[in-house]
Amino acid sequence: MYQTQQNQLPGGYYGPPIPPQAYSQPNNYYYENQERRTCLGCLVSTILKAFIAFWVVVGILILILWLVYRPHEVKVGVESATLTSFNLTSTNPPNLSFNLSASVSIRNPNDRIGIYYDWLEADSYYRGERFDWLALPTFYQGHKNTTTLVAAIEGQSYIGLGTKEVADFGNDNKTGWFDVDVWLYGRVRYKFGSTVTRRYTLKAKCPLSVQLVGAGGGNSGFGRTKCDIVSF
């Protein structure tokens, strides 16, 4: 009999060694990018909420002011008007000689609102063509107050009338009645207590039908004319 010699290994045997593996670090860029997007979304959401809240507060304040002051538009009218001259001195080109005096009343019907009239002017039109304008005094108007201004429109100027309009002028001249539109333009500010608003535009149209003085009794047929508020 023979005996097989075996090499004795020290300790226990656990198989072949495992080769080292490369260390993989976590993807920090991905997480940082996600955090940036999250922060940006929160910022946009906060700004949007603040914007909406701001306009809600503004709307509530405007509603409260309206309920407290209840603003009404001004009332404009022409109390009297006198036409002492209205002649075409030439027809080619058409030149108009005129003298129109109108007493314009402006009433502030509000109980708690004052009005600053920072700029006012009266423009006169015949057959849709402007023939003159006049600067009017500026003033402050208190609560429930009426101010009367006199617009004395006098002079001679070119007026852009065509052949048809010149013929219409001849017909009006025979009757002695002329339709003249006086437009009132202005820039106004409102005073609520101690608060004064920005400037707003005032536009009022006053359609006048006036008789030339000396033509069948002159101004006998003129009555108070209410002006239409176009913008205020």
Side-chain angles (χ1 to χ4, degrees):
M1 297 182 65
Y2 64 91
Q3 293 181 350
T4 303
Q5 294 183 352
Q6 297 180 351
N7 294 327
Q8 300 295 326
L9 295 177
Y13 177 68
Y14 300 98
I18 300 175
Q21 297 181 355
Y23 177 73
S24 177
Q25 296 182 350
N27 192 348
N28 293 332
Y29 174 79
Y30 172 79
Y31 294 106
E32 291 175 358
N33 193 34
Q34 287 294 104
E35 290 178 358
R36 290 195 191 99
R37 290 181 180 178
T38 302
C39 294
L40 181 60
C42 293
L43 178 61
V44 171
S45 177
T46 302
I47 294 175
L48 184 60
K49 290 178 180 178
F51 180 80
I52 294 174
F54 171 78
W55 285 109
V56 168
V57 171
V58 170
I60 293 174
L61 290 176
I62 292 175
L63 178 61
I64 292 174
L65 288 175
W66 185 87
L67 291 174
V68 171
Y69 291 97
R70 293 186 178 274
H72 301 282
E73 66 181 17
V74 297
K75 300 182 183 300
V76 182
V78 177
E79 305 301 325
S80 63
T82 303
L83 186 65
T84 57
S85 175
F86 208 70
N87 301 306
L88 279 178
T89 57
S90 66
T91 57
N92 190 20
N95 284 284
L96 182 68
S97 175
F98 50 88
N99 190 335
L100 171 66
S101 178
S103 178
V104 182
S105 65
I106 305 175
R107 177 164 179 77
N108 175 14
N110 296 285
D111 293 321
R112 302 180 180 181
I113 301 175
I115 303 174
Y116 288 97
Y117 296 86
D118 294 332
W119 165 67
L120 279 174
E121 75 172 54
D123 291 29
S124 49
Y125 291 79
Y126 174 74
R127 298 287 176 179
E129 297 293 334
R130 191 178 79 159
F131 58 86
D132 198 20
W133 72 277
L134 175 71
L136 297 175
T138 58
F139 58 95
Y140 170 77
Q141 191 173 48
H143 315 146
K144 288 207 173 277
N145 183 268
T146 300
T147 303
T148 301
L149 305 173
V150 177
I153 303 169
E154 180 183 4
Q156 182 173 336
S157 69
Y158 166 82
I159 182 170
L161 300 179
T163 304
K164 181 181 181 304
E165 287 76 19
V166 170
D168 292 337
F169 181 91
N171 294 330
D172 293 341
N173 197 39
K174 291 178 182 178
T175 63
W177 287 90
F178 295 91
D179 293 331
V180 178
D181 292 333
V182 175
W183 280 82
L184 195 67
Y185 297 100
R187 298 285 286 172
V188 300
R189 292 175 295 155
Y190 304 104
K191 183 180 179 183
F192 300 86
S194 59
T195 302
V196 179
T197 68
R198 65 178 180 86
R199 287 184 174 90
Y200 292 87
T201 300
L202 165 66
K203 291 182 183 179
K205 179 183 180 181
C206 307
L208 308 180
S209 182
V210 289
Q211 189 177 26
L212 186 65
V213 171
N219 198 36
S220 58
F222 183 84
R224 184 185 187 278
T225 301
K226 179 183 177 182
C227 302
D228 300 322
I229 304 299
V230 178
S231 175
F232 189 78

